Amino acid sequence: GQSLEQPSEVTAVEGAIVQINCTYQTSGFYGLSWYQQHDGGAPTFLSYNALDGLEETGRFSSFLSRSDSYGYLLLQELQMKDSASYFCAVLTGGFKTIFGAGTRLFVKA
Amino acid sequence: GAGVSQTPSNKVTEKGKYVELRCDPISGHTALYWYRQSLGQGPEFLIYFQGTGAADDSGLPNDRFFAVRPEGSVSTLKIQRTERGDSAVYLCASSPGTSGRTDTQYFGPGTRLTVL
């Protein structure tokens, strides 16, 4: 089967750094994406990794290791508005994107 | 510019009824995706269109679900003989379609379907 594993919840304080891990097992792999979703809102794209290594976009960075079937999202200088659900998603063979169940991030003052 | 829009925002129906959910993608986007999302879960892939054709419909759960995109823009997801288990938020996403599988997907606000 196809599966993505990520922690269900993470809590951190404002200004801190948090890492959300994702391991995957899929048939076919083109890349790993990360999406943010606030309660009641639509998922919004954060980053995409097709090759091994780190991609940095402002306060957010994403890492991929294809050999380990593993990636993570790193959020720096946490702000209250970062409280949301974060989904890793694998672009598989064909045109299907498989999403993880999501990690709820709680940022405390 | 305008983002992806979906109508209706909420739909309440009775078990056994037929429903249609509409998606207006970003103008010029050739790729269109349908997902459904249950509470506390990630989006579940249903179908992918490239232009007018369904390039991958492997996520449709059964033959009660059908989607069309006749002119390569607006898409309609159709659910026949609705069941209570169909209750979920149905999300539509579009992407330019020019970079193949690496395109960012832009999601609409979703339609919350409730089957009583």
Side-chain angles (χ1 to χ4, degrees), chain A residues 30 35 37 42-43 45 48 87 91-97 99-102, chain B residues 33 35 37 40-43 45 48 55-56 58 91 101-102 104-105 107-108:
Chain A
Y30 284 93
Y35 286 81
Q37 186 177 33
F45 173 82
Y48 175 78
F87 297 92
L91 216 52
T92 69
F95 298 92
K96 179 182 291 188
T97 302
F99 281 77
Chain B
Y33 306 77
Y35 297 85
Q37 186 175 27
Q41 297 297 313
F45 172 86
Y48 163 79
D56 187 341
S58 61
L91 295 165
R101 297 177 177 87
T102 63
T104 299
Q105 295 180 39
F107 282 82

PDB file of all heavy atoms in Angstrom, chain A residues 30 35 37 42-43 45 48 87 91-97 99-102, chain B residues 33 35 37 40-43 45 48 55-56 58 91 101-102 104-105 107-108:
ATOM      1  N   TYR A  30       7.909  11.179  -7.433  1.00  0.00           N
ATOM      2  CA  TYR A  30       8.468  12.283  -8.215  1.00  0.00           C
ATOM      3  C   TYR A  30       8.936  13.412  -7.321  1.00  0.00           C
ATOM      4  O   TYR A  30       9.855  14.149  -7.664  1.00  0.00           O
ATOM      5  CB  TYR A  30       7.449  12.803  -9.227  1.00  0.00           C
ATOM      6  CG  TYR A  30       7.291  11.901 -10.411  1.00  0.00           C
ATOM      7  CD1 TYR A  30       6.306  10.918 -10.424  1.00  0.00           C
ATOM      8  CD2 TYR A  30       8.142  11.989 -11.508  1.00  0.00           C
ATOM      9  CE1 TYR A  30       6.181  10.067 -11.506  1.00  0.00           C
ATOM     10  CE2 TYR A  30       8.019  11.144 -12.589  1.00  0.00           C
ATOM     11  CZ  TYR A  30       7.033  10.179 -12.580  1.00  0.00           C
ATOM     12  OH  TYR A  30       6.909   9.324 -13.647  1.00  0.00           O
ATOM     13  N   TYR A  35       2.132  21.422   2.458  1.00  0.00           N
ATOM     14  CA  TYR A  35       1.023  22.354   2.399  1.00  0.00           C
ATOM     15  C   TYR A  35       0.635  22.753   3.813  1.00  0.00           C
ATOM     16  O   TYR A  35       0.738  21.965   4.754  1.00  0.00           O
ATOM     17  CB  TYR A  35      -0.196  21.721   1.706  1.00  0.00           C
ATOM     18  CG  TYR A  35      -0.056  21.598   0.206  1.00  0.00           C
ATOM     19  CD1 TYR A  35       0.656  20.550  -0.360  1.00  0.00           C
ATOM     20  CD2 TYR A  35      -0.628  22.540  -0.644  1.00  0.00           C
ATOM     21  CE1 TYR A  35       0.801  20.449  -1.731  1.00  0.00           C
ATOM     22  CE2 TYR A  35      -0.495  22.440  -2.017  1.00  0.00           C
ATOM     23  CZ  TYR A  35       0.215  21.395  -2.550  1.00  0.00           C
ATOM     24  OH  TYR A  35       0.358  21.302  -3.916  1.00  0.00           O
ATOM     25  N   GLN A  37      -2.575  24.344   6.143  1.00  0.00           N
ATOM     26  CA  GLN A  37      -4.021  24.530   6.130  1.00  0.00           C
ATOM     27  C   GLN A  37      -4.488  25.039   7.489  1.00  0.00           C
ATOM     28  O   GLN A  37      -4.341  24.363   8.501  1.00  0.00           O
ATOM     29  CB  GLN A  37      -4.743  23.222   5.782  1.00  0.00           C
ATOM     30  CG  GLN A  37      -6.255  23.371   5.610  1.00  0.00           C
ATOM     31  CD  GLN A  37      -6.938  22.069   5.200  1.00  0.00           C
ATOM     32  OE1 GLN A  37      -6.522  20.985   5.588  1.00  0.00           O
ATOM     33  NE2 GLN A  37      -7.988  22.150   4.399  1.00  0.00           N
ATOM     34  N   ALA A  42      -8.419  26.541   2.951  1.00  0.00           N
ATOM     35  CA  ALA A  42      -7.921  25.655   1.905  1.00  0.00           C
ATOM     36  C   ALA A  42      -6.435  25.385   2.122  1.00  0.00           C
ATOM     37  O   ALA A  42      -5.721  26.232   2.654  1.00  0.00           O
ATOM     38  CB  ALA A  42      -8.142  26.296   0.539  1.00  0.00           C
ATOM     39  N   PRO A  43      -5.943  24.228   1.721  1.00  0.00           N
ATOM     40  CA  PRO A  43      -4.495  23.991   1.769  1.00  0.00           C
ATOM     41  C   PRO A  43      -3.770  24.982   0.865  1.00  0.00           C
ATOM     42  O   PRO A  43      -4.232  25.284  -0.239  1.00  0.00           O
ATOM     43  CB  PRO A  43      -4.351  22.564   1.231  1.00  0.00           C
ATOM     44  CG  PRO A  43      -5.692  21.934   1.400  1.00  0.00           C
ATOM     45  CD  PRO A  43      -6.673  23.053   1.232  1.00  0.00           C
ATOM     46  N   PHE A  45       0.147  25.889  -0.738  1.00  0.00           N
ATOM     47  CA  PHE A  45       1.461  25.309  -1.036  1.00  0.00           C
ATOM     48  C   PHE A  45       2.563  26.039  -0.281  1.00  0.00           C
ATOM     49  O   PHE A  45       2.583  27.273  -0.210  1.00  0.00           O
ATOM     50  CB  PHE A  45       1.705  25.398  -2.536  1.00  0.00           C
ATOM     51  CG  PHE A  45       3.085  24.990  -2.961  1.00  0.00           C
ATOM     52  CD1 PHE A  45       3.403  23.654  -3.133  1.00  0.00           C
ATOM     53  CD2 PHE A  45       4.063  25.946  -3.201  1.00  0.00           C
ATOM     54  CE1 PHE A  45       4.674  23.272  -3.536  1.00  0.00           C
ATOM     55  CE2 PHE A  45       5.336  25.579  -3.607  1.00  0.00           C
ATOM     56  CZ  PHE A  45       5.638  24.246  -3.776  1.00  0.00           C
ATOM     57  N   TYR A  48       8.375  22.353  -2.317  1.00  0.00           N
ATOM     58  CA  TYR A  48       8.438  21.118  -3.086  1.00  0.00           C
ATOM     59  C   TYR A  48       9.900  20.705  -3.233  1.00  0.00           C
ATOM     60  O   TYR A  48      10.753  21.533  -3.565  1.00  0.00           O
ATOM     61  CB  TYR A  48       7.815  21.322  -4.464  1.00  0.00           C
ATOM     62  CG  TYR A  48       7.926  20.134  -5.392  1.00  0.00           C
ATOM     63  CD1 TYR A  48       7.086  19.040  -5.247  1.00  0.00           C
ATOM     64  CD2 TYR A  48       8.863  20.113  -6.422  1.00  0.00           C
ATOM     65  CE1 TYR A  48       7.175  17.954  -6.093  1.00  0.00           C
ATOM     66  CE2 TYR A  48       8.965  19.030  -7.273  1.00  0.00           C
ATOM     67  CZ  TYR A  48       8.112  17.951  -7.108  1.00  0.00           C
ATOM     68  OH  TYR A  48       8.195  16.869  -7.951  1.00  0.00           O
ATOM     69  N   PHE A  87       0.688  19.420   5.994  1.00  0.00           N
ATOM     70  CA  PHE A  87       0.585  18.139   5.312  1.00  0.00           C
ATOM     71  C   PHE A  87       1.787  17.924   4.418  1.00  0.00           C
ATOM     72  O   PHE A  87       2.159  18.823   3.645  1.00  0.00           O
ATOM     73  CB  PHE A  87      -0.672  18.090   4.434  1.00  0.00           C
ATOM     74  CG  PHE A  87      -1.961  18.191   5.197  1.00  0.00           C
ATOM     75  CD1 PHE A  87      -2.555  19.419   5.411  1.00  0.00           C
ATOM     76  CD2 PHE A  87      -2.575  17.056   5.698  1.00  0.00           C
ATOM     77  CE1 PHE A  87      -3.737  19.519   6.119  1.00  0.00           C
ATOM     78  CE2 PHE A  87      -3.760  17.143   6.408  1.00  0.00           C
ATOM     79  CZ  PHE A  87      -4.337  18.376   6.616  1.00  0.00           C
ATOM     80  N   LEU A  91       4.081  13.212  -4.740  1.00  0.00           N
ATOM     81  CA  LEU A  91       3.664  13.130  -6.133  1.00  0.00           C
ATOM     82  C   LEU A  91       4.126  11.770  -6.644  1.00  0.00           C
ATOM     83  O   LEU A  91       5.323  11.514  -6.753  1.00  0.00           O
ATOM     84  CB  LEU A  91       4.351  14.258  -6.904  1.00  0.00           C
ATOM     85  CG  LEU A  91       3.611  14.957  -8.020  1.00  0.00           C
ATOM     86  CD1 LEU A  91       2.253  15.447  -7.571  1.00  0.00           C
ATOM     87  CD2 LEU A  91       4.441  16.114  -8.534  1.00  0.00           C
ATOM     88  N   THR A  92       3.179  10.875  -6.912  1.00  0.00           N
ATOM     89  CA  THR A  92       3.548   9.501  -7.241  1.00  0.00           C
ATOM     90  C   THR A  92       3.567   9.277  -8.742  1.00  0.00           C
ATOM     91  O   THR A  92       3.340  10.190  -9.519  1.00  0.00           O
ATOM     92  CB  THR A  92       2.531   8.524  -6.631  1.00  0.00           C
ATOM     93  OG1 THR A  92       1.277   8.686  -7.327  1.00  0.00           O
ATOM     94  CG2 THR A  92       2.318   8.784  -5.153  1.00  0.00           C
ATOM     95  N   GLY A  93       3.831   8.070  -9.126  1.00  0.00           N
ATOM     96  CA  GLY A  93       3.705   7.712 -10.531  1.00  0.00           C
ATOM     97  C   GLY A  93       2.288   7.966 -10.984  1.00  0.00           C
ATOM     98  O   GLY A  93       1.349   7.903 -10.207  1.00  0.00           O
ATOM     99  N   GLY A  94       2.100   8.269 -12.230  1.00  0.00           N
ATOM    100  CA  GLY A  94       0.781   8.711 -12.675  1.00  0.00           C
ATOM    101  C   GLY A  94       0.626  10.165 -12.289  1.00  0.00           C
ATOM    102  O   GLY A  94       1.589  10.907 -12.240  1.00  0.00           O
ATOM    103  N   PHE A  95      -0.552  10.572 -11.947  1.00  0.00           N
ATOM    104  CA  PHE A  95      -0.785  11.966 -11.608  1.00  0.00           C
ATOM    105  C   PHE A  95      -1.383  12.123 -10.213  1.00  0.00           C
ATOM    106  O   PHE A  95      -1.933  13.143  -9.880  1.00  0.00           O
ATOM    107  CB  PHE A  95      -1.716  12.597 -12.642  1.00  0.00           C
ATOM    108  CG  PHE A  95      -1.146  12.598 -14.027  1.00  0.00           C
ATOM    109  CD1 PHE A  95      -1.407  11.545 -14.885  1.00  0.00           C
ATOM    110  CD2 PHE A  95      -0.315  13.613 -14.445  1.00  0.00           C
ATOM    111  CE1 PHE A  95      -0.865  11.526 -16.165  1.00  0.00           C
ATOM    112  CE2 PHE A  95       0.235  13.606 -15.720  1.00  0.00           C
ATOM    113  CZ  PHE A  95      -0.038  12.561 -16.575  1.00  0.00           C
ATOM    114  N   LYS A  96      -1.229  11.081  -9.417  1.00  0.00           N
ATOM    115  CA  LYS A  96      -1.867  11.082  -8.117  1.00  0.00           C
ATOM    116  C   LYS A  96      -0.949  11.704  -7.078  1.00  0.00           C
ATOM    117  O   LYS A  96       0.240  11.414  -7.018  1.00  0.00           O
ATOM    118  CB  LYS A  96      -2.199   9.640  -7.712  1.00  0.00           C
ATOM    119  CG  LYS A  96      -2.852   9.487  -6.364  1.00  0.00           C
ATOM    120  CD  LYS A  96      -3.110   8.039  -6.027  1.00  0.00           C
ATOM    121  CE  LYS A  96      -4.191   7.449  -6.910  1.00  0.00           C
ATOM    122  NZ  LYS A  96      -4.588   6.087  -6.450  1.00  0.00           N
ATOM    123  N   THR A  97      -1.521  12.585  -6.243  1.00  0.00           N
ATOM    124  CA  THR A  97      -0.806  13.127  -5.094  1.00  0.00           C
ATOM    125  C   THR A  97      -1.384  12.500  -3.842  1.00  0.00           C
ATOM    126  O   THR A  97      -2.599  12.566  -3.623  1.00  0.00           O
ATOM    127  CB  THR A  97      -0.953  14.657  -5.033  1.00  0.00           C
ATOM    128  OG1 THR A  97      -0.450  15.232  -6.238  1.00  0.00           O
ATOM    129  CG2 THR A  97      -0.177  15.219  -3.848  1.00  0.00           C
ATOM    130  N   PHE A  99      -1.552  12.501   0.196  1.00  0.00           N
ATOM    131  CA  PHE A  99      -1.318  13.378   1.341  1.00  0.00           C
ATOM    132  C   PHE A  99      -1.217  12.565   2.624  1.00  0.00           C
ATOM    133  O   PHE A  99      -1.895  11.547   2.788  1.00  0.00           O
ATOM    134  CB  PHE A  99      -2.467  14.376   1.495  1.00  0.00           C
ATOM    135  CG  PHE A  99      -2.412  15.543   0.561  1.00  0.00           C
ATOM    136  CD1 PHE A  99      -2.779  15.401  -0.771  1.00  0.00           C
ATOM    137  CD2 PHE A  99      -1.991  16.785   1.008  1.00  0.00           C
ATOM    138  CE1 PHE A  99      -2.727  16.479  -1.647  1.00  0.00           C
ATOM    139  CE2 PHE A  99      -1.943  17.871   0.148  1.00  0.00           C
ATOM    140  CZ  PHE A  99      -2.304  17.715  -1.180  1.00  0.00           C
ATOM    141  N   GLY A 100      -0.380  13.052   3.547  1.00  0.00           N
ATOM    142  CA  GLY A 100      -0.372  12.494   4.884  1.00  0.00           C
ATOM    143  C   GLY A 100      -1.584  12.984   5.650  1.00  0.00           C
ATOM    144  O   GLY A 100      -2.357  13.816   5.169  1.00  0.00           O
ATOM    145  N   ALA A 101      -1.748  12.475   6.872  1.00  0.00           N
ATOM    146  CA  ALA A 101      -2.911  12.826   7.685  1.00  0.00           C
ATOM    147  C   ALA A 101      -2.777  14.212   8.309  1.00  0.00           C
ATOM    148  O   ALA A 101      -3.750  14.752   8.834  1.00  0.00           O
ATOM    149  CB  ALA A 101      -3.131  11.784   8.767  1.00  0.00           C
ATOM    150  N   GLY A 102      -1.570  14.773   8.263  1.00  0.00           N
ATOM    151  CA  GLY A 102      -1.400  16.124   8.753  1.00  0.00           C
ATOM    152  C   GLY A 102      -0.838  16.197  10.158  1.00  0.00           C
ATOM    153  O   GLY A 102      -1.047  15.294  10.984  1.00  0.00           O
TER     154      GLY A 102
ATOM    155  N   TYR B  33      -7.673  19.079 -10.290  1.00  0.00           N
ATOM    156  CA  TYR B  33      -7.735  17.924  -9.387  1.00  0.00           C
ATOM    157  C   TYR B  33      -8.973  18.040  -8.500  1.00  0.00           C
ATOM    158  O   TYR B  33      -9.341  19.132  -8.085  1.00  0.00           O
ATOM    159  CB  TYR B  33      -6.522  17.885  -8.453  1.00  0.00           C
ATOM    160  CG  TYR B  33      -5.170  17.929  -9.116  1.00  0.00           C
ATOM    161  CD1 TYR B  33      -4.648  19.118  -9.613  1.00  0.00           C
ATOM    162  CD2 TYR B  33      -4.393  16.771  -9.218  1.00  0.00           C
ATOM    163  CE1 TYR B  33      -3.399  19.156 -10.205  1.00  0.00           C
ATOM    164  CE2 TYR B  33      -3.145  16.807  -9.799  1.00  0.00           C
ATOM    165  CZ  TYR B  33      -2.646  18.002 -10.289  1.00  0.00           C
ATOM    166  OH  TYR B  33      -1.407  18.034 -10.871  1.00  0.00           O
ATOM    167  N   TYR B  35     -10.294  16.414  -4.779  1.00  0.00           N
ATOM    168  CA  TYR B  35      -9.960  15.670  -3.566  1.00  0.00           C
ATOM    169  C   TYR B  35     -11.169  15.704  -2.648  1.00  0.00           C
ATOM    170  O   TYR B  35     -12.046  16.559  -2.779  1.00  0.00           O
ATOM    171  CB  TYR B  35      -8.798  16.323  -2.804  1.00  0.00           C
ATOM    172  CG  TYR B  35      -7.476  16.383  -3.519  1.00  0.00           C
ATOM    173  CD1 TYR B  35      -7.177  17.425  -4.398  1.00  0.00           C
ATOM    174  CD2 TYR B  35      -6.517  15.400  -3.314  1.00  0.00           C
ATOM    175  CE1 TYR B  35      -5.948  17.486  -5.038  1.00  0.00           C
ATOM    176  CE2 TYR B  35      -5.290  15.447  -3.952  1.00  0.00           C
ATOM    177  CZ  TYR B  35      -5.010  16.500  -4.807  1.00  0.00           C
ATOM    178  OH  TYR B  35      -3.795  16.543  -5.443  1.00  0.00           O
ATOM    179  N   GLN B  37     -11.825  15.550   1.711  1.00  0.00           N
ATOM    180  CA  GLN B  37     -11.112  15.613   2.978  1.00  0.00           C
ATOM    181  C   GLN B  37     -12.097  15.408   4.118  1.00  0.00           C
ATOM    182  O   GLN B  37     -13.056  16.164   4.266  1.00  0.00           O
ATOM    183  CB  GLN B  37     -10.392  16.960   3.130  1.00  0.00           C
ATOM    184  CG  GLN B  37      -9.517  17.045   4.365  1.00  0.00           C
ATOM    185  CD  GLN B  37      -8.712  18.334   4.426  1.00  0.00           C
ATOM    186  OE1 GLN B  37      -9.102  19.360   3.873  1.00  0.00           O
ATOM    187  NE2 GLN B  37      -7.573  18.292   5.103  1.00  0.00           N
ATOM    188  N   GLY B  40      -9.883  15.843  10.237  1.00  0.00           N
ATOM    189  CA  GLY B  40      -8.667  15.298  10.830  1.00  0.00           C
ATOM    190  C   GLY B  40      -7.808  14.492   9.886  1.00  0.00           C
ATOM    191  O   GLY B  40      -6.835  13.862  10.316  1.00  0.00           O
ATOM    192  N   GLN B  41      -8.145  14.508   8.614  1.00  0.00           N
ATOM    193  CA  GLN B  41      -7.382  13.751   7.619  1.00  0.00           C
ATOM    194  C   GLN B  41      -6.844  14.678   6.547  1.00  0.00           C
ATOM    195  O   GLN B  41      -7.290  15.816   6.399  1.00  0.00           O
ATOM    196  CB  GLN B  41      -8.270  12.687   6.972  1.00  0.00           C
ATOM    197  CG  GLN B  41      -8.779  11.641   7.936  1.00  0.00           C
ATOM    198  CD  GLN B  41      -7.659  10.838   8.556  1.00  0.00           C
ATOM    199  OE1 GLN B  41      -6.747  10.373   7.883  1.00  0.00           O
ATOM    200  NE2 GLN B  41      -7.705  10.677   9.869  1.00  0.00           N
ATOM    201  N   GLY B  42      -5.895  14.159   5.776  1.00  0.00           N
ATOM    202  CA  GLY B  42      -5.406  14.909   4.646  1.00  0.00           C
ATOM    203  C   GLY B  42      -6.317  14.746   3.445  1.00  0.00           C
ATOM    204  O   GLY B  42      -7.174  13.850   3.421  1.00  0.00           O
ATOM    205  N   PRO B  43      -6.165  15.600   2.447  1.00  0.00           N
ATOM    206  CA  PRO B  43      -6.960  15.444   1.229  1.00  0.00           C
ATOM    207  C   PRO B  43      -6.710  14.084   0.587  1.00  0.00           C
ATOM    208  O   PRO B  43      -5.570  13.613   0.523  1.00  0.00           O
ATOM    209  CB  PRO B  43      -6.449  16.578   0.335  1.00  0.00           C
ATOM    210  CG  PRO B  43      -5.908  17.603   1.282  1.00  0.00           C
ATOM    211  CD  PRO B  43      -5.313  16.813   2.399  1.00  0.00           C
ATOM    212  N   PHE B  45      -6.999  11.990  -2.856  1.00  0.00           N
ATOM    213  CA  PHE B  45      -7.090  12.181  -4.306  1.00  0.00           C
ATOM    214  C   PHE B  45      -8.280  11.434  -4.883  1.00  0.00           C
ATOM    215  O   PHE B  45      -8.533  10.268  -4.553  1.00  0.00           O
ATOM    216  CB  PHE B  45      -5.802  11.670  -4.954  1.00  0.00           C
ATOM    217  CG  PHE B  45      -5.833  11.620  -6.458  1.00  0.00           C
ATOM    218  CD1 PHE B  45      -5.506  12.738  -7.204  1.00  0.00           C
ATOM    219  CD2 PHE B  45      -6.172  10.453  -7.128  1.00  0.00           C
ATOM    220  CE1 PHE B  45      -5.523  12.688  -8.593  1.00  0.00           C
ATOM    221  CE2 PHE B  45      -6.202  10.397  -8.518  1.00  0.00           C
ATOM    222  CZ  PHE B  45      -5.864  11.521  -9.248  1.00  0.00           C
ATOM    223  N   TYR B  48      -7.885  13.483 -11.648  1.00  0.00           N
ATOM    224  CA  TYR B  48      -7.041  14.518 -12.241  1.00  0.00           C
ATOM    225  C   TYR B  48      -7.415  14.702 -13.710  1.00  0.00           C
ATOM    226  O   TYR B  48      -7.540  13.737 -14.453  1.00  0.00           O
ATOM    227  CB  TYR B  48      -5.577  14.108 -12.119  1.00  0.00           C
ATOM    228  CG  TYR B  48      -4.617  14.863 -13.020  1.00  0.00           C
ATOM    229  CD1 TYR B  48      -4.184  16.139 -12.690  1.00  0.00           C
ATOM    230  CD2 TYR B  48      -4.132  14.284 -14.188  1.00  0.00           C
ATOM    231  CE1 TYR B  48      -3.302  16.825 -13.504  1.00  0.00           C
ATOM    232  CE2 TYR B  48      -3.247  14.959 -15.006  1.00  0.00           C
ATOM    233  CZ  TYR B  48      -2.832  16.229 -14.662  1.00  0.00           C
ATOM    234  OH  TYR B  48      -1.954  16.912 -15.462  1.00  0.00           O
ATOM    235  N   ALA B  55      -7.084  12.280 -16.891  1.00  0.00           N
ATOM    236  CA  ALA B  55      -5.833  11.555 -17.063  1.00  0.00           C
ATOM    237  C   ALA B  55      -5.640  10.474 -16.007  1.00  0.00           C
ATOM    238  O   ALA B  55      -4.907   9.517 -16.225  1.00  0.00           O
ATOM    239  CB  ALA B  55      -4.657  12.522 -17.044  1.00  0.00           C
ATOM    240  N   ASP B  56      -6.275  10.659 -14.850  1.00  0.00           N
ATOM    241  CA  ASP B  56      -6.139   9.670 -13.771  1.00  0.00           C
ATOM    242  C   ASP B  56      -7.391   9.753 -12.907  1.00  0.00           C
ATOM    243  O   ASP B  56      -7.596  10.757 -12.237  1.00  0.00           O
ATOM    244  CB  ASP B  56      -4.879   9.958 -12.940  1.00  0.00           C
ATOM    245  CG  ASP B  56      -4.587   8.877 -11.898  1.00  0.00           C
ATOM    246  OD1 ASP B  56      -5.499   8.109 -11.557  1.00  0.00           O
ATOM    247  OD2 ASP B  56      -3.436   8.812 -11.429  1.00  0.00           O
ATOM    248  N   SER B  58      -8.166   7.142 -10.813  1.00  0.00           N
ATOM    249  CA  SER B  58      -7.995   5.966  -9.966  1.00  0.00           C
ATOM    250  C   SER B  58      -8.452   6.180  -8.528  1.00  0.00           C
ATOM    251  O   SER B  58      -8.622   5.222  -7.780  1.00  0.00           O
ATOM    252  CB  SER B  58      -6.528   5.529  -9.967  1.00  0.00           C
ATOM    253  OG  SER B  58      -5.696   6.565  -9.454  1.00  0.00           O
ATOM    254  N   LEU B  91     -12.614  19.182  -2.179  1.00  0.00           N
ATOM    255  CA  LEU B  91     -11.682  20.233  -2.583  1.00  0.00           C
ATOM    256  C   LEU B  91     -11.325  20.100  -4.058  1.00  0.00           C
ATOM    257  O   LEU B  91     -11.151  18.993  -4.567  1.00  0.00           O
ATOM    258  CB  LEU B  91     -10.389  20.142  -1.764  1.00  0.00           C
ATOM    259  CG  LEU B  91     -10.490  20.412  -0.263  1.00  0.00           C
ATOM    260  CD1 LEU B  91      -9.228  19.924   0.441  1.00  0.00           C
ATOM    261  CD2 LEU B  91     -10.699  21.885   0.000  1.00  0.00           C
ATOM    262  N   ARG B 101       4.452  17.211 -13.544  1.00  0.00           N
ATOM    263  CA  ARG B 101       4.065  16.778 -12.211  1.00  0.00           C
ATOM    264  C   ARG B 101       4.617  17.660 -11.106  1.00  0.00           C
ATOM    265  O   ARG B 101       4.352  17.430  -9.949  1.00  0.00           O
ATOM    266  CB  ARG B 101       4.518  15.339 -11.999  1.00  0.00           C
ATOM    267  CG  ARG B 101       3.855  14.373 -12.943  1.00  0.00           C
ATOM    268  CD  ARG B 101       4.403  12.985 -12.723  1.00  0.00           C
ATOM    269  NE  ARG B 101       3.749  12.009 -13.572  1.00  0.00           N
ATOM    270  CZ  ARG B 101       4.156  11.742 -14.805  1.00  0.00           C
ATOM    271  NH1 ARG B 101       5.181  12.359 -15.294  1.00  0.00           N
ATOM    272  NH2 ARG B 101       3.518  10.848 -15.519  1.00  0.00           N
ATOM    273  N   THR B 102       5.389  18.664 -11.449  1.00  0.00           N
ATOM    274  CA  THR B 102       5.981  19.458 -10.380  1.00  0.00           C
ATOM    275  C   THR B 102       5.188  20.720 -10.089  1.00  0.00           C
ATOM    276  O   THR B 102       5.572  21.519  -9.268  1.00  0.00           O
ATOM    277  CB  THR B 102       7.420  19.866 -10.735  1.00  0.00           C
ATOM    278  OG1 THR B 102       7.378  20.699 -11.900  1.00  0.00           O
ATOM    279  CG2 THR B 102       8.262  18.648 -11.031  1.00  0.00           C
ATOM    280  N   THR B 104       2.792  23.497  -8.671  1.00  0.00           N
ATOM    281  CA  THR B 104       2.087  23.812  -7.441  1.00  0.00           C
ATOM    282  C   THR B 104       0.600  23.697  -7.682  1.00  0.00           C
ATOM    283  O   THR B 104       0.095  24.115  -8.728  1.00  0.00           O
ATOM    284  CB  THR B 104       2.417  25.250  -7.022  1.00  0.00           C
ATOM    285  OG1 THR B 104       3.817  25.349  -6.793  1.00  0.00           O
ATOM    286  CG2 THR B 104       1.657  25.649  -5.781  1.00  0.00           C
ATOM    287  N   GLN B 105      -0.115  23.131  -6.739  1.00  0.00           N
ATOM    288  CA  GLN B 105      -1.563  23.049  -6.828  1.00  0.00           C
ATOM    289  C   GLN B 105      -2.181  24.163  -6.000  1.00  0.00           C
ATOM    290  O   GLN B 105      -1.804  24.358  -4.837  1.00  0.00           O
ATOM    291  CB  GLN B 105      -2.044  21.685  -6.344  1.00  0.00           C
ATOM    292  CG  GLN B 105      -1.573  20.537  -7.234  1.00  0.00           C
ATOM    293  CD  GLN B 105      -2.054  19.192  -6.766  1.00  0.00           C
ATOM    294  OE1 GLN B 105      -3.183  19.036  -6.316  1.00  0.00           O
ATOM    295  NE2 GLN B 105      -1.194  18.187  -6.874  1.00  0.00           N
ATOM    296  N   PHE B 107      -5.532  25.436  -4.286  1.00  0.00           N
ATOM    297  CA  PHE B 107      -6.786  24.851  -3.829  1.00  0.00           C
ATOM    298  C   PHE B 107      -7.898  25.888  -3.706  1.00  0.00           C
ATOM    299  O   PHE B 107      -7.656  27.050  -3.347  1.00  0.00           O
ATOM    300  CB  PHE B 107      -6.594  24.182  -2.464  1.00  0.00           C
ATOM    301  CG  PHE B 107      -5.931  22.841  -2.540  1.00  0.00           C
ATOM    302  CD1 PHE B 107      -4.551  22.723  -2.644  1.00  0.00           C
ATOM    303  CD2 PHE B 107      -6.690  21.676  -2.505  1.00  0.00           C
ATOM    304  CE1 PHE B 107      -3.937  21.478  -2.715  1.00  0.00           C
ATOM    305  CE2 PHE B 107      -6.095  20.426  -2.572  1.00  0.00           C
ATOM    306  CZ  PHE B 107      -4.713  20.333  -2.679  1.00  0.00           C
ATOM    307  N   GLY B 108      -9.111  25.438  -3.973  1.00  0.00           N
ATOM    308  CA  GLY B 108     -10.293  26.231  -3.695  1.00  0.00           C
ATOM    309  C   GLY B 108     -10.712  26.056  -2.250  1.00  0.00           C
ATOM    310  O   GLY B 108     -10.140  25.240  -1.524  1.00  0.00           O
TER     311      GLY B 108
END
